[in-house]
Amino acid sequence: MIENQKIRPAQVIGPLGEPLTLDSLPPPTTTRWVVRRKAEVVAAVNGGLLTVDEACERYGLTLEEFAGWQRSIDRSGMPGLRVTRIQHYRDLYERQQRF
């Protein structure tokens, strides 16, 4: 009997156009989150390689933290993930929404 199983891709396209697999994602012990690593995790979730819950559990993230990464990419692309520029991109986005 075939059960309703979720089919996952073996790989997805990463933020820089490279193939991402579960093995090529940042290690679960990652503590230093540079822009590329954040973008890879978001791309893995968007592509179906991981679920949001799996990503949060694997990397010790809160749902709000992951949602912030996703929102930053949607609004400003990879540069929006830079911690030093968050306020700049937030202000820019809010100004664009007014016009």
Side-chain angles (χ1 to χ4, degrees), residues 3-4 6 17-18 20-21 27 34-35 41 53 59 63 65 67 72 75 91 95:
E3 294 183 20
N4 186 12
K6 293 183 179 180
E18 76 288 358
L20 284 178
T21 64
V34 296
V35 171
V41 173
D53 292 334
Y59 296 109
L63 186 57
E65 187 174 17
S72 294
R75 289 180 178 173
D91 292 344
R95 275 187 260 130

Side-chain angles (χ1 to χ4, degrees), residues 11-70:
Q11 65 181 22
V12 296
I13 302 300
L16 302 175
E18 76 288 358
L20 284 178
T21 64
L22 286 175
D23 293 334
S24 66
L25 286 174
T29 57
T30 299
T31 56
R32 187 166 181 269
W33 286 101
V34 296
V35 171
R36 181 185 51 80
R37 291 183 188 137
K38 292 177 186 179
E40 287 174 344
V41 173
V42 171
V45 170
N46 289 344
L49 196 59
L50 291 173
T51 66
V52 173
D53 292 334
E54 289 170 340
C56 289
E57 184 177 328
R58 177 177 173 140
Y59 296 109
L61 305 171
T62 64
L63 186 57
E64 292 79 17
E65 187 174 17
F66 178 80
W69 292 358
Q70 210 163 29

